[in-house]
């Protein structure tokens, strides 16, 4: 078309479409680039939609490894705090340290060993669960089962209790998460080994006197349920010192304003 001429009616729509394409393409590219930047910032370099974990053992091991690394960092920081605190020549600080020292043992912050008992809880065999006509919830270990054992051991005068080798203190939370149990937020698969240091006779009497555990053992003896129960008296039980965080997290009421 020569300068000064006008487009025919048939040419005008084509020109408008081409103009819209030239303008719209950069705009879409700019929007996509902005979304990529936002995703990168929010993900901190990780996958925003990671694939589902199908290997429970791998997931549990990964979470436990991450927890142990963080636990090591906490231990190092606590040592630094202790070193700096001891270096302060202050009478009030020394008195506070003496009080802390006396409270460490009952708080579970020192290692304990001695005679005791161990109880192992486990799910029924998978082949039995797959073919059962019963409620399958009767055939797996729940957090209340573990809590019942721990409570019985405390009632029996245990001086220290561990689950999966982890020291249990007053703030320890036991929570079911799928087919694992979480302790201090770390998942552990079954079987669950619960050990206690203390007088064996007193511990055994407390366990046998628990009505809840009596029912559990009756179900363990039922071949159609097959849930696991094993109790052993041990000449030596070792309970390591608790090394996790001691800060308490709790809900706070909203202000009235």
């Amino acid at each position: 078309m020569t300068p000064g001429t006008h487009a025919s009616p048939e040419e005008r729509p084509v020109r408008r479409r081409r103009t819209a394409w030239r303008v719209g393409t950069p705009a879409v590219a700019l929007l996509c680039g902005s979304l990529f930047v936002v995703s990168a910032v929010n993900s901190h370099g990780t996958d925003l939609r990671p694939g589902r974990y199908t290997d429970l053992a791998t997931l549990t091991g990964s979470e436990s490894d991450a927890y142990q690394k963080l636990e090591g960092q906490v231990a190092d920081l606590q040592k630094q705090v202790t070193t700096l605190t001891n270096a302060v020549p202050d009478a009030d600080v020394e008195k506070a340290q003496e009080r802390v020292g006396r409270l460490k043992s009952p708080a579970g912050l020192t290692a304990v060993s001695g005679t005791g008992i161990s109880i192992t809880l486990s799910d029924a065999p998978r082949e039995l669960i797959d073919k059962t006509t019963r409620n399958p919830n009767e055939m797996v270990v729940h957090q209340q089962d573990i809590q019942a054992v721990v409570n019985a051991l405390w009632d029996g005068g245990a001086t220290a209790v561990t689950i999966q080798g982890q020291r249990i203190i007053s703030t320890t939370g036991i929570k079911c998460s799928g087919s694992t149990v979480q302790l201090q937020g770390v998942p552990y698969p079954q079987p669950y080994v619960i050990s206690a240091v203390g007088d064996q006779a007193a511990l055994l009497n407390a366990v046998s006197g628990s009505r809840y555990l009596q029912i559990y053992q009756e179900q363990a003896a039922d071949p159609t349920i097959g849930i696991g129960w094993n109790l052993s008296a041990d000449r030596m039980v070792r309970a390591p010192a608790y090394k996790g965080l001691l800060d308490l997290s709790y809900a706070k009421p909203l202000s009235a304003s």
Side-chain angles (χ1 to χ4, degrees):
M1 184 182 297
T2 57
T5 60
H6 297 284
S8 64
E10 292 78 12
E11 293 174 319
R12 289 171 184 164
V14 175
R15 179 176 295 171
R16 284 197 294 268
R17 285 196 296 272
R18 288 175 178 170
T19 301
W21 180 257
R22 288 197 298 269
V23 175
T25 300
V28 171
L30 180 61
L31 178 60
C32 290
S34 300
L35 292 175
F36 290 145
V37 172
V38 172
S39 296
V41 171
N42 288 338
S43 66
H44 299 289
T46 61
D47 189 357
L48 284 174
R49 298 188 65 194
R52 292 185 61 190
Y53 287 98
T54 55
D55 187 342
L56 179 59
T58 300
L59 173 60
T60 303
S62 176
E63 292 293 328
S64 297
D65 290 343
Y67 177 81
Q68 289 176 0
K69 290 180 180 178
L70 292 174
E71 192 178 59
Q73 294 177 13
V74 170
D76 290 339
L77 291 174
Q78 287 177 340
K79 288 181 180 178
Q80 294 179 33
V81 171
T82 301
T83 300
L84 293 173
T85 301
N86 292 335
V88 177
D90 185 277
D92 292 335
V93 172
E94 292 177 358
K95 290 180 180 179
Q97 287 294 96
E98 291 177 0
R99 292 180 58 192
V100 169
R102 291 194 296 269
L103 295 173
K104 277 187 175 181
S105 180
L109 303 181
T110 58
V112 177
S113 60
T115 59
I117 68 173
S118 294
I119 297 173
T120 302
L121 309 180
S122 58
D123 296 347
R126 172 50 58 183
E127 58 271 18
L128 182 60
I129 296 177
D130 289 340
K131 67 180 182 180
T132 188
T133 57
R134 307 179 64 100
N135 182 352
N137 283 326
E138 297 179 350
M139 308 172 75
V140 296
V141 179
H142 298 283
Q143 67 184 54
Q144 56 266 33
D145 303 328
I146 300 175
Q147 289 170 338
V149 173
V150 172
N151 289 339
L153 295 175
W154 287 133
D155 289 341
T159 56
V161 177
T162 66
I163 301 176
Q164 306 297 72
Q166 301 300 311
R167 185 70 174 270
I168 303 303
I169 62 173
S170 59
T171 58
T172 299
I174 303 172
K175 178 183 178 183
C176 271
S177 179
S179 56
T180 66
V181 164
Q182 290 189 2
L183 302 174
Q184 279 93 221
V186 181
Y188 295 93
Q190 60 95 29
Y192 305 108
V193 180
I194 308 161
S195 301
V197 178
D199 180 82
Q200 290 180 337
L203 294 173
L204 292 171
N205 286 336
V207 170
S208 62
S210 168
R211 179 54 185 159
Y212 186 101
L213 295 182
Q214 291 173 6
I215 296 174
Y216 184 101
Q217 292 177 72
E218 291 171 1
Q219 293 178 338
D222 186 339
T224 65
I225 298 178
I227 199 166
W229 168 274
N230 183 69
L231 187 153
S232 64
D234 303 320
R235 296 179 61 183
M236 179 60 64
V237 175
R238 292 181 173 84
Y242 175 78
K243 298 179 181 178
L245 296 176
L246 297 174
D247 294 341
L248 297 178
S249 298
Y250 49 89
K252 296 181 180 179
L254 296 174
S255 60
S257 57

